[in-house]
Amino acid sequence: MIETASPGDINPSAVTTPSSLSQDNGQRSVWMDGKVIPWSDARIHVATHGLHYATTVIEAIRVYHGKPLQLVERLRRLQESAVMLHLKIPYSTDKLCDAVYTLLDLGRIKDAYIRPVAWLGAESGGAGSPVSPSCSLELSPRGLTTHVAILALPVDETFSMRHYKDGLRLMISPWARPAPHTAPVSTKSAGMYPISIISRAEAEQQGCHDALMLDHRGYVAEGTGANVFLVIEGDLHTPLPDSLLNGFTRQLIMSLAIQDGLRVIERAIHPDELLRAQEIFLTGTAYEIAPVREILTMGEYPHGPVTQRLQTLFQDHVASL
Ligand code: PMP
């Protein structure tokens, strides 16, 4: 049942991120604007609107033993994020699904991190048109071509939460998630990420792995690229997804927990409640379920039985895809 209410010793530099996944992309292919091309040919013009104004939307999809997790849902979220930013993706979700499978087949990749990305280009005549030297870099997205690319990066078991078996050390970021009427908070768009990136960099400077962000009202929101859950007296508490990304891993964990008989409560969570949580964990495509070992100035947490149980349920779920 979902209830809603109103308002050690890990070296951070050893934490694997998508950018450190594949050192050798020489033989790899990229799906770009409807074609499979070599990795080294996947280039964009420096006048690209998405580069200057963050008119860029992204997705993240994990593939386990050849089976993508929540592929259609995540590609739909890409489409929805694009609509919000006035991008017109010229491909159906089915076509993008096919593109993902094509890349997996070509690269013979079984376990992967897939990164679809769509952005506004610098030209108006469609993909492949020349970029005019008279291009004006105007703010207006009107008429500009939307490009789409998909990267498939192979991953191994070091990528996932097994990497975080000792738990994450977090700090609370001074940067707040914006109010929903001030930014497209429900989209996975490039413009939402600078606060995450600054928070993450500041956390790493403090010897932490990551940061926990509060929202514009001062309630607990989410990690820099992950959602957060607290275990309090055996129940699972998580912030309402009103100023944070309603992650697909979050949604899956909530339904696995409910099926397992746990009570899941979505509500506004005051940061002081971090003091009384018995367990805390983050969820996301990259993290899967990552236990939190410490939140600076708040407390230390064990890798407790509820987190461990949910990790097992998640592993069983992806094994059965
Ligand atoms: N919040 C933010 C800001 C994120 O970037 C992510 C990662 N996409 C998440 C939450 C978790 O979302 P998901 O489970 O869909 O990966």
PDB file of all heavy atoms in Angstrom, residues 170 212-213 220-223 226-230 237-239 244 250 269 274 280-283 292 295:
ATOM      1  N   LEU A 170      27.582  10.526   2.285  1.00  0.00           N
ATOM      2  CA  LEU A 170      26.940  11.679   1.648  1.00  0.00           C
ATOM      3  C   LEU A 170      27.116  12.933   2.487  1.00  0.00           C
ATOM      4  O   LEU A 170      27.307  12.854   3.698  1.00  0.00           O
ATOM      5  CB  LEU A 170      25.427  11.436   1.492  1.00  0.00           C
ATOM      6  CG  LEU A 170      24.959  10.160   0.797  1.00  0.00           C
ATOM      7  CD1 LEU A 170      23.431  10.153   0.726  1.00  0.00           C
ATOM      8  CD2 LEU A 170      25.549  10.053  -0.599  1.00  0.00           C
ATOM      9  N   LEU A 212      23.227  14.668  -0.918  1.00  0.00           N
ATOM     10  CA  LEU A 212      21.774  14.585  -0.806  1.00  0.00           C
ATOM     11  C   LEU A 212      21.262  16.014  -0.963  1.00  0.00           C
ATOM     12  O   LEU A 212      21.795  16.936  -0.349  1.00  0.00           O
ATOM     13  CB  LEU A 212      21.419  14.026   0.569  1.00  0.00           C
ATOM     14  CG  LEU A 212      19.978  13.643   0.806  1.00  0.00           C
ATOM     15  CD1 LEU A 212      19.546  12.523  -0.153  1.00  0.00           C
ATOM     16  CD2 LEU A 212      19.786  13.171   2.244  1.00  0.00           C
ATOM     17  N   MET A 213      20.254  16.176  -1.800  1.00  0.00           N
ATOM     18  CA  MET A 213      19.753  17.527  -2.054  1.00  0.00           C
ATOM     19  C   MET A 213      18.413  17.730  -1.352  1.00  0.00           C
ATOM     20  O   MET A 213      17.575  16.830  -1.336  1.00  0.00           O
ATOM     21  CB  MET A 213      19.599  17.750  -3.554  1.00  0.00           C
ATOM     22  CG  MET A 213      20.900  17.459  -4.289  1.00  0.00           C
ATOM     23  SD  MET A 213      20.784  17.773  -6.048  1.00  0.00           S
ATOM     24  CE  MET A 213      20.779  19.537  -6.000  1.00  0.00           C
ATOM     25  N   VAL A 220      13.762  16.969   2.350  1.00  0.00           N
ATOM     26  CA  VAL A 220      14.652  16.041   1.649  1.00  0.00           C
ATOM     27  C   VAL A 220      14.102  15.791   0.247  1.00  0.00           C
ATOM     28  O   VAL A 220      12.895  15.531   0.087  1.00  0.00           O
ATOM     29  CB  VAL A 220      14.751  14.698   2.423  1.00  0.00           C
ATOM     30  CG1 VAL A 220      15.557  13.678   1.638  1.00  0.00           C
ATOM     31  CG2 VAL A 220      15.351  14.922   3.814  1.00  0.00           C
ATOM     32  N   ALA A 221      14.973  15.881  -0.774  1.00  0.00           N
ATOM     33  CA  ALA A 221      14.496  15.659  -2.147  1.00  0.00           C
ATOM     34  C   ALA A 221      15.089  14.374  -2.726  1.00  0.00           C
ATOM     35  O   ALA A 221      14.395  13.367  -2.858  1.00  0.00           O
ATOM     36  CB  ALA A 221      14.817  16.859  -3.028  1.00  0.00           C
ATOM     37  N   GLU A 222      16.363  14.399  -3.070  1.00  0.00           N
ATOM     38  CA  GLU A 222      16.959  13.236  -3.747  1.00  0.00           C
ATOM     39  C   GLU A 222      18.466  13.368  -3.777  1.00  0.00           C
ATOM     40  O   GLU A 222      19.020  14.383  -3.341  1.00  0.00           O
ATOM     41  CB  GLU A 222      16.406  13.113  -5.165  1.00  0.00           C
ATOM     42  CG  GLU A 222      16.689  14.329  -6.038  1.00  0.00           C
ATOM     43  CD  GLU A 222      16.159  14.178  -7.466  1.00  0.00           C
ATOM     44  OE1 GLU A 222      15.975  13.044  -7.933  1.00  0.00           O
ATOM     45  OE2 GLU A 222      15.951  15.222  -8.100  1.00  0.00           O
ATOM     46  N   GLY A 223      19.127  12.358  -4.315  1.00  0.00           N
ATOM     47  CA  GLY A 223      20.561  12.430  -4.549  1.00  0.00           C
ATOM     48  C   GLY A 223      20.811  13.258  -5.803  1.00  0.00           C
ATOM     49  O   GLY A 223      19.881  13.780  -6.424  1.00  0.00           O
ATOM     50  N   ALA A 226      19.919  10.226  -8.212  1.00  0.00           N
ATOM     51  CA  ALA A 226      19.297   9.045  -7.617  1.00  0.00           C
ATOM     52  C   ALA A 226      18.207   9.489  -6.640  1.00  0.00           C
ATOM     53  O   ALA A 226      18.247  10.608  -6.137  1.00  0.00           O
ATOM     54  CB  ALA A 226      20.336   8.226  -6.863  1.00  0.00           C
ATOM     55  N   ASN A 227      17.261   8.618  -6.391  1.00  0.00           N
ATOM     56  CA  ASN A 227      16.212   8.897  -5.400  1.00  0.00           C
ATOM     57  C   ASN A 227      16.610   8.330  -4.043  1.00  0.00           C
ATOM     58  O   ASN A 227      17.524   7.511  -3.950  1.00  0.00           O
ATOM     59  CB  ASN A 227      14.882   8.302  -5.866  1.00  0.00           C
ATOM     60  CG  ASN A 227      14.366   8.979  -7.124  1.00  0.00           C
ATOM     61  OD1 ASN A 227      14.240   8.363  -8.179  1.00  0.00           O
ATOM     62  ND2 ASN A 227      14.087  10.269  -7.024  1.00  0.00           N
ATOM     63  N   VAL A 228      15.915   8.790  -3.002  1.00  0.00           N
ATOM     64  CA  VAL A 228      16.313   8.397  -1.652  1.00  0.00           C
ATOM     65  C   VAL A 228      15.140   7.750  -0.897  1.00  0.00           C
ATOM     66  O   VAL A 228      13.978   8.136  -1.084  1.00  0.00           O
ATOM     67  CB  VAL A 228      16.878   9.622  -0.867  1.00  0.00           C
ATOM     68  CG1 VAL A 228      15.831  10.704  -0.657  1.00  0.00           C
ATOM     69  CG2 VAL A 228      17.468   9.197   0.470  1.00  0.00           C
ATOM     70  N   PHE A 229      15.481   6.743  -0.102  1.00  0.00           N
ATOM     71  CA  PHE A 229      14.504   6.068   0.766  1.00  0.00           C
ATOM     72  C   PHE A 229      15.057   6.007   2.181  1.00  0.00           C
ATOM     73  O   PHE A 229      16.256   5.800   2.379  1.00  0.00           O
ATOM     74  CB  PHE A 229      14.266   4.628   0.298  1.00  0.00           C
ATOM     75  CG  PHE A 229      13.447   4.519  -0.960  1.00  0.00           C
ATOM     76  CD1 PHE A 229      14.038   4.618  -2.206  1.00  0.00           C
ATOM     77  CD2 PHE A 229      12.078   4.301  -0.899  1.00  0.00           C
ATOM     78  CE1 PHE A 229      13.287   4.523  -3.367  1.00  0.00           C
ATOM     79  CE2 PHE A 229      11.312   4.189  -2.048  1.00  0.00           C
ATOM     80  CZ  PHE A 229      11.917   4.303  -3.291  1.00  0.00           C
ATOM     81  N   LEU A 230      14.159   6.163   3.160  1.00  0.00           N
ATOM     82  CA  LEU A 230      14.513   6.010   4.567  1.00  0.00           C
ATOM     83  C   LEU A 230      13.716   4.840   5.130  1.00  0.00           C
ATOM     84  O   LEU A 230      12.519   4.711   4.813  1.00  0.00           O
ATOM     85  CB  LEU A 230      14.118   7.255   5.370  1.00  0.00           C
ATOM     86  CG  LEU A 230      14.970   8.519   5.286  1.00  0.00           C
ATOM     87  CD1 LEU A 230      14.920   9.140   3.901  1.00  0.00           C
ATOM     88  CD2 LEU A 230      14.492   9.535   6.316  1.00  0.00           C
ATOM     89  N   HIS A 237      10.005   5.121   3.738  1.00  0.00           N
ATOM     90  CA  HIS A 237       9.551   6.507   3.535  1.00  0.00           C
ATOM     91  C   HIS A 237      10.361   7.118   2.390  1.00  0.00           C
ATOM     92  O   HIS A 237      11.586   6.961   2.355  1.00  0.00           O
ATOM     93  CB  HIS A 237       9.767   7.335   4.796  1.00  0.00           C
ATOM     94  CG  HIS A 237       8.959   6.846   5.971  1.00  0.00           C
ATOM     95  ND1 HIS A 237       7.893   7.548   6.484  1.00  0.00           N
ATOM     96  CD2 HIS A 237       9.070   5.715   6.711  1.00  0.00           C
ATOM     97  CE1 HIS A 237       7.376   6.875   7.507  1.00  0.00           C
ATOM     98  NE2 HIS A 237       8.078   5.755   7.663  1.00  0.00           N
ATOM     99  N   THR A 238       9.685   7.809   1.498  1.00  0.00           N
ATOM    100  CA  THR A 238      10.397   8.447   0.384  1.00  0.00           C
ATOM    101  C   THR A 238       9.686   9.750   0.038  1.00  0.00           C
ATOM    102  O   THR A 238       8.461   9.852   0.173  1.00  0.00           O
ATOM    103  CB  THR A 238      10.489   7.482  -0.825  1.00  0.00           C
ATOM    104  OG1 THR A 238      11.415   8.009  -1.778  1.00  0.00           O
ATOM    105  CG2 THR A 238       9.152   7.254  -1.506  1.00  0.00           C
ATOM    106  N   PRO A 239      10.451  10.760  -0.391  1.00  0.00           N
ATOM    107  CA  PRO A 239       9.810  12.054  -0.688  1.00  0.00           C
ATOM    108  C   PRO A 239       8.810  11.949  -1.843  1.00  0.00           C
ATOM    109  O   PRO A 239       8.991  11.140  -2.764  1.00  0.00           O
ATOM    110  CB  PRO A 239      10.984  12.949  -1.079  1.00  0.00           C
ATOM    111  CG  PRO A 239      12.192  12.307  -0.500  1.00  0.00           C
ATOM    112  CD  PRO A 239      11.922  10.837  -0.492  1.00  0.00           C
ATOM    113  N   LEU A 244      11.319  16.539  -7.786  1.00  0.00           N
ATOM    114  CA  LEU A 244      12.449  15.648  -8.067  1.00  0.00           C
ATOM    115  C   LEU A 244      12.061  14.720  -9.211  1.00  0.00           C
ATOM    116  O   LEU A 244      10.897  14.645  -9.597  1.00  0.00           O
ATOM    117  CB  LEU A 244      12.809  14.842  -6.818  1.00  0.00           C
ATOM    118  CG  LEU A 244      11.669  14.116  -6.097  1.00  0.00           C
ATOM    119  CD1 LEU A 244      11.471  12.721  -6.602  1.00  0.00           C
ATOM    120  CD2 LEU A 244      11.946  14.104  -4.601  1.00  0.00           C
ATOM    121  N   ARG A 250      13.134   3.936  -8.567  1.00  0.00           N
ATOM    122  CA  ARG A 250      12.290   4.273  -7.408  1.00  0.00           C
ATOM    123  C   ARG A 250      10.935   3.584  -7.522  1.00  0.00           C
ATOM    124  O   ARG A 250      10.459   2.935  -6.589  1.00  0.00           O
ATOM    125  CB  ARG A 250      12.128   5.798  -7.352  1.00  0.00           C
ATOM    126  CG  ARG A 250      11.146   6.329  -6.326  1.00  0.00           C
ATOM    127  CD  ARG A 250      10.973   7.852  -6.516  1.00  0.00           C
ATOM    128  NE  ARG A 250      10.154   8.439  -5.468  1.00  0.00           N
ATOM    129  CZ  ARG A 250       8.816   8.478  -5.488  1.00  0.00           C
ATOM    130  NH1 ARG A 250       8.146   7.940  -6.507  1.00  0.00           N
ATOM    131  NH2 ARG A 250       8.154   9.025  -4.485  1.00  0.00           N
ATOM    132  N   ILE A 269       9.554  14.934   3.736  1.00  0.00           N
ATOM    133  CA  ILE A 269      10.439  14.435   4.797  1.00  0.00           C
ATOM    134  C   ILE A 269      11.363  15.565   5.247  1.00  0.00           C
ATOM    135  O   ILE A 269      12.163  16.092   4.457  1.00  0.00           O
ATOM    136  CB  ILE A 269      11.265  13.226   4.295  1.00  0.00           C
ATOM    137  CG1 ILE A 269      10.314  12.064   3.941  1.00  0.00           C
ATOM    138  CG2 ILE A 269      12.294  12.795   5.333  1.00  0.00           C
ATOM    139  CD1 ILE A 269      10.998  10.853   3.334  1.00  0.00           C
ATOM    140  N   LEU A 274      16.325  12.448   9.130  1.00  0.00           N
ATOM    141  CA  LEU A 274      17.489  11.626   8.782  1.00  0.00           C
ATOM    142  C   LEU A 274      18.182  11.128  10.052  1.00  0.00           C
ATOM    143  O   LEU A 274      18.874  10.126  10.047  1.00  0.00           O
ATOM    144  CB  LEU A 274      18.482  12.444   7.939  1.00  0.00           C
ATOM    145  CG  LEU A 274      17.938  12.949   6.583  1.00  0.00           C
ATOM    146  CD1 LEU A 274      18.893  13.970   5.978  1.00  0.00           C
ATOM    147  CD2 LEU A 274      17.719  11.778   5.623  1.00  0.00           C
ATOM    148  N   ILE A 280      19.139   3.965   5.299  1.00  0.00           N
ATOM    149  CA  ILE A 280      18.895   4.900   4.187  1.00  0.00           C
ATOM    150  C   ILE A 280      19.557   4.310   2.942  1.00  0.00           C
ATOM    151  O   ILE A 280      20.646   3.718   3.028  1.00  0.00           O
ATOM    152  CB  ILE A 280      19.472   6.299   4.495  1.00  0.00           C
ATOM    153  CG1 ILE A 280      18.767   6.884   5.727  1.00  0.00           C
ATOM    154  CG2 ILE A 280      19.321   7.241   3.288  1.00  0.00           C
ATOM    155  CD1 ILE A 280      19.157   8.300   6.088  1.00  0.00           C
ATOM    156  N   PHE A 281      18.882   4.411   1.814  1.00  0.00           N
ATOM    157  CA  PHE A 281      19.529   3.975   0.565  1.00  0.00           C
ATOM    158  C   PHE A 281      19.086   4.862  -0.590  1.00  0.00           C
ATOM    159  O   PHE A 281      18.054   5.533  -0.527  1.00  0.00           O
ATOM    160  CB  PHE A 281      19.259   2.490   0.282  1.00  0.00           C
ATOM    161  CG  PHE A 281      17.815   2.108   0.129  1.00  0.00           C
ATOM    162  CD1 PHE A 281      17.161   2.205  -1.093  1.00  0.00           C
ATOM    163  CD2 PHE A 281      17.100   1.611   1.223  1.00  0.00           C
ATOM    164  CE1 PHE A 281      15.835   1.837  -1.231  1.00  0.00           C
ATOM    165  CE2 PHE A 281      15.767   1.237   1.092  1.00  0.00           C
ATOM    166  CZ  PHE A 281      15.129   1.348  -0.139  1.00  0.00           C
ATOM    167  N   LEU A 282      19.938   4.870  -1.640  1.00  0.00           N
ATOM    168  CA  LEU A 282      19.634   5.596  -2.870  1.00  0.00           C
ATOM    169  C   LEU A 282      19.270   4.598  -3.958  1.00  0.00           C
ATOM    170  O   LEU A 282      19.773   3.460  -3.953  1.00  0.00           O
ATOM    171  CB  LEU A 282      20.851   6.408  -3.339  1.00  0.00           C
ATOM    172  CG  LEU A 282      21.399   7.490  -2.411  1.00  0.00           C
ATOM    173  CD1 LEU A 282      22.537   8.245  -3.116  1.00  0.00           C
ATOM    174  CD2 LEU A 282      20.319   8.471  -1.974  1.00  0.00           C
ATOM    175  N   THR A 283      18.416   5.020  -4.886  1.00  0.00           N
ATOM    176  CA  THR A 283      18.065   4.154  -6.019  1.00  0.00           C
ATOM    177  C   THR A 283      18.240   4.927  -7.325  1.00  0.00           C
ATOM    178  O   THR A 283      17.978   6.123  -7.398  1.00  0.00           O
ATOM    179  CB  THR A 283      16.604   3.682  -5.950  1.00  0.00           C
ATOM    180  OG1 THR A 283      15.723   4.807  -6.086  1.00  0.00           O
ATOM    181  CG2 THR A 283      16.303   2.947  -4.663  1.00  0.00           C
ATOM    182  N   VAL A 292      23.351   3.777   2.120  1.00  0.00           N
ATOM    183  CA  VAL A 292      24.061   4.969   2.611  1.00  0.00           C
ATOM    184  C   VAL A 292      24.672   4.607   3.964  1.00  0.00           C
ATOM    185  O   VAL A 292      23.980   4.120   4.854  1.00  0.00           O
ATOM    186  CB  VAL A 292      23.094   6.164   2.748  1.00  0.00           C
ATOM    187  CG1 VAL A 292      23.780   7.349   3.428  1.00  0.00           C
ATOM    188  CG2 VAL A 292      22.562   6.566   1.378  1.00  0.00           C
ATOM    189  N   ILE A 295      25.688  10.148   6.568  1.00  0.00           N
ATOM    190  CA  ILE A 295      25.386  11.487   6.042  1.00  0.00           C
ATOM    191  C   ILE A 295      26.047  12.467   7.008  1.00  0.00           C
ATOM    192  O   ILE A 295      25.743  12.462   8.217  1.00  0.00           O
ATOM    193  CB  ILE A 295      23.870  11.751   5.954  1.00  0.00           C
ATOM    194  CG1 ILE A 295      23.198  10.682   5.070  1.00  0.00           C
ATOM    195  CG2 ILE A 295      23.612  13.163   5.396  1.00  0.00           C
ATOM    196  CD1 ILE A 295      21.698  10.839   4.925  1.00  0.00           C
TER     197      ILE A 295
END
